[in-house]
Amino acid sequence: MLRTALRNVLAHKARLVMTALAVMLGVAFVSGTLVFGDSVAGAFRGASAKNLDGVAVAVQDNGASAEPEAKPGAFKTALDDKLAQKIAALPGAESVRPTVNGRATIAGKDGDPVNADANWQNLAVNYAPGKDGKDPLYPLAKGRAPASAGEMALDTGTAEEAGYKIGDTVRFATDGPALTKKLVGLASTDDPRVTAGGTLALFDTATAQKMFTAPGYYDEITVGARAGTDQNKLTGDVRALLPGEGAATATSGQVLAEQQSKDIAQSTGSLTKALLVFAGIALFVGAFIIANTFTMLIAQRAREIALMRAVGASRKQVVRSVLLEAGLLGLGASAAGFALGLGIASVLPSLLNAGGAGLPDGPLVVSPAAFVWSLFVGVVVTVLAAWLPSRKAARIAPVEAMSTVDAPSRPRSLVKRNVLGALLVAGGMPFMLYVAALKKPSEVDLLTALFGAGLFLVGLIVLAPLLSRPFIVLAGELTERVYGVSGKLAKENALRNPRRTAATASALMIGLCLITGLTVAAQSADRAVAAEATTGLAADYRVSNSAYRGIDKDAADKVAGVPGVAVAAPVATAMAETPGGYLQLTGGDPGTLGKVTDLRFLSGELTDIGPGRIAVSEELAKERGLTVGDTVEAELGGRFVDGARQGATSKTFTVVGVFEKNRTVQEALGTLGDVLPYALDKKLDEVLVKADSGASGASGVEGKIRDALGNSPLLKVQDRDQIVAQEIGAVGAVLNMMYGLLGMAVLIAILGVVNTLAMSVFERTREIGMLRAIGLDRSGIRQMVRLESVIICLFGAVLGIGSGVFLAWLNSGITGGSLPGYETVLPWLRIGLFIVLALVVGVLAAIWPARRAARLNMLSAINAQ
């Protein structure tokens, strides 16, 4: 039977090529994902290991000793020069490197900030030379290290991106106005935050302390150990020198490396699992092609299988022969897929980084486990998909198969299949209806929705043969009227074997269903987010800090003096602790706030707000049982020490109004005077600007506002369109990534259409010869195959698009639960594009099978066995 399986694979290699491609692509997705996950984890570990190279102990400040209102230059930490000297005097300490950490956003030569939207990656640290005068963490590639307050260095990547060279004046900002310093050096770094798209700014230690801590104070001290020193003992000695309880933490380099390794495994594992889900979808689609191929091969080899049975082969041997054939096919295709997966893994980090993923560079890591799992998955999927066809092969009766070669196979009843499909569809509906009615869905509800949608889709696949007949008949009427005999033959060919037609169309349906469902959900979410982003906002511009560090409290006065500005309303927020829980208290000037927002009061008025008087949102009023005239006791400001608030101010507020939900004012609204003293760093969150009539846009109000506030690289001045674009930008990026990942499933489905048509042509060789003999020319044959392909693809598209829209509508509770204004919106343009795509796929998929059918020799085809 092994020889038989090998012979069958070699004898039918042309017919199995598309199946092999489907398995290869699916396995490539799996292997690429596994290798990608290992490579990214290895890159993170490598970068972290280099940063921890020579670090025996890391001492970090916990912020417990710092004054809560301390500003840069006066921010005293628990780590100072005296502590660094004591640590350096320890017997086992070889080296001590004190570090000052901060953030700096660099403005390029063109004025645009570099990586402003991912400010957490924009590192600013001190250059700390060792005994040799060099900083091992930041080796200089060109120039020299910064040595005075007016100098700085950049990493080579940032300098190139920003357009700076040594000797240029660099504009940057840490948390407020723009600063300038001379660029004197270029350094390199292995910090994954920088290599993944961030920036690095280096200053001399004294300058870094003035900007981020205080003279003589540090955020971190790393200690190198002498040869033979026990790392744990050195860590204990360092801990004994630390001041106060909880002010600082000493961690051994070994423990730090283990913790970082766990964090890396967890973060990269989540991404790998997400990608494996899409790989599973691709393999699931490929299973339809495999099953279809073996079903058709068995039908074409009925006489051969019957002969094997006649000479003594048992049913089990026939099953094993087919499964062995599938296993050999899966093994070869999986090996090729693994090789292709290495290519996918090598380009995937660059593609994700282009979308802002922030992955570090590193070598390709190919583990034996990835190779074994790739082969295992490919072979198992192929064998399982061929299992049902193999059982069908075992049921072939020898006499029946050999008695008449050309008799069409007896059609099998679809009653049981239809009943099962209906039960599956009906079983999935209650789960989705339950989720659709939810207001605040949880993670468990998401799993419930996925389970219900899975049952529904499987049921739809089972019902596909039943659903295909009315669609094909309807489409066939059109093709017959337009294309005559070719159209009629295409319809009859598609109707001849509804199981085969349904299986081919189902592969395309799955991909289009998921794509359509995601598109509907994303477009609906976009519409809701866009409406939510500007709900209650009447301002033309919003001025804020891209690093969420706030803006100076005098910013509103400066903006108000800009020509073309009618109103500049300052807004600040503070967290207040009340008996009913925490609430976000927004502060503003009632006189100006009413001109830049559309606050709708259910009771009371905006002008009623004053010192000690607040208005609350409708949701908060219902949640806390508040009405006009009630009082709210609140604790504002202070800081937490050992879980307890210290230094807070107690205030009593009277509720004077209740307003509808508003994006600008979340829960409660008071005066700026009541809120600003307790806001983070006593800064404004934003300034809302109303321009004079006809002054916005072309008049350059945005530029004038930036100039009035010092044009800091951190300054963000957005009009209403930019606010909306920022809110929905992430949704679009995720959707495009989903399109790319699901594109593999669609590509495999296309191969399935090509495969089915090609094998169908081989199966109908004699029939095509007879059609040619009675007058159907070559162009008619090509047209017949093309129309059959288009009908199958259109059926898959209609089923996929329809089910995708239906599932997105039913599961709207998952997305709409967090977006109050969510309503299902049909993206008609994209739906139209998907239908056009299905037509194009149908035409392209038929090119090779149609050409092959048209080139058949008439006499040879008639005599074919």
Side-chain angles (χ1 to χ4, degrees), residues 753 757 785-786 789-791 793 837-847:
V753 178
L757 291 173
V785 177
R786 275 198 303 268
S789 175
V790 168
I791 289 174
C793 288
L837 174 65
L839 288 171
V840 173
V841 166
V843 173
L844 294 179
I847 290 176

Side-chain angles (χ1 to χ4, degrees), residues 52 54-60 87 90 92-93 95-97 220-225 229-239 242 249-256:
L52 293 175
V55 176
V57 185
V59 185
Q60 295 175 321
I87 293 175
L90 290 173
S95 62
V96 173
R97 186 188 190 282
E220 184 179 11
I221 298 175
T222 55
V223 185
T229 300
D230 182 80
Q231 198 176 94
N232 293 328
K233 182 180 182 306
L234 181 59
T235 303
D237 293 341
V238 171
R239 283 176 183 158
L242 299 182
T249 303
T251 309
S252 68
Q254 181 179 353
V255 172
L256 205 60

Side-chain angles (χ1 to χ4, degrees), residues 515-743:
I515 289 175
T516 303
L518 287 171
T519 302
V520 172
Q523 183 120 345
S524 302
D526 278 358
R527 185 76 61 88
V529 169
E532 180 77 5
T534 55
T535 296
L537 183 65
D540 296 312
Y541 297 99
R542 183 174 69 188
V543 183
S544 60
N545 186 306
S546 62
Y548 305 100
R549 302 289 294 272
I551 53 181
D552 293 336
K553 58 185 177 182
D554 60 350
D557 294 332
K558 293 179 180 178
V559 174
V562 172
V565 172
V567 180
V571 177
T573 58
M575 294 306 297
E577 184 179 6
T578 69
Y582 284 93
L583 65 83
Q584 181 176 294
L585 182 60
T586 302
D589 177 10
T592 58
L593 198 60
K595 299 176 182 178
V596 295
T597 61
D598 184 19
L599 282 169
R600 299 180 181 180
F601 278 75
L602 302 175
S603 59
E605 295 181 359
L606 180 61
T607 53
D608 293 334
I609 296 173
R613 302 192 301 274
I614 63 172
V616 297
S617 68
E618 182 181 10
E619 286 79 2
L620 185 68
K622 290 180 180 179
E623 180 183 334
R624 306 279 180 92
L626 297 173
T627 60
V628 173
D630 290 344
T631 58
V632 177
E633 301 292 334
E635 296 284 329
L636 294 159
R639 59 174 176 156
F640 285 93
V641 178
D642 296 331
R645 183 192 287 270
Q646 295 183 2
T649 301
S650 297
K651 279 184 170 291
T652 301
F653 294 103
T654 302
V655 178
V656 296
V658 178
F659 57 85
E660 291 182 357
K661 181 177 176 62
N662 188 287
R663 184 68 177 267
T664 305
V665 183
Q666 294 287 330
E667 294 183 308
L669 174 64
T671 64
L672 194 65
D674 279 341
V675 176
L676 187 58
Y678 310 103
L680 182 64
D681 295 331
K682 296 183 179 180
K683 289 186 175 183
L684 301 173
D685 285 354
E686 59 190 15
V687 175
L688 301 178
V689 180
K690 187 75 172 177
D692 288 328
S693 178
S696 60
S699 62
V701 172
E702 178 181 346
K704 294 175 183 177
I705 293 174
R706 297 188 66 88
D707 291 338
L709 297 179
N711 200 17
S712 167
L714 290 173
L715 192 65
K716 185 184 292 185
V717 183
Q718 300 170 292
D719 59 23
R720 295 173 67 86
D721 291 338
Q722 290 169 332
I723 292 172
V724 171
Q726 175 182 295
E727 294 285 345
I728 66 176
V731 176
V734 171
L735 183 62
N736 289 333
M737 185 178 73
M738 295 288 191
Y739 280 162
L741 295 173
L742 289 174

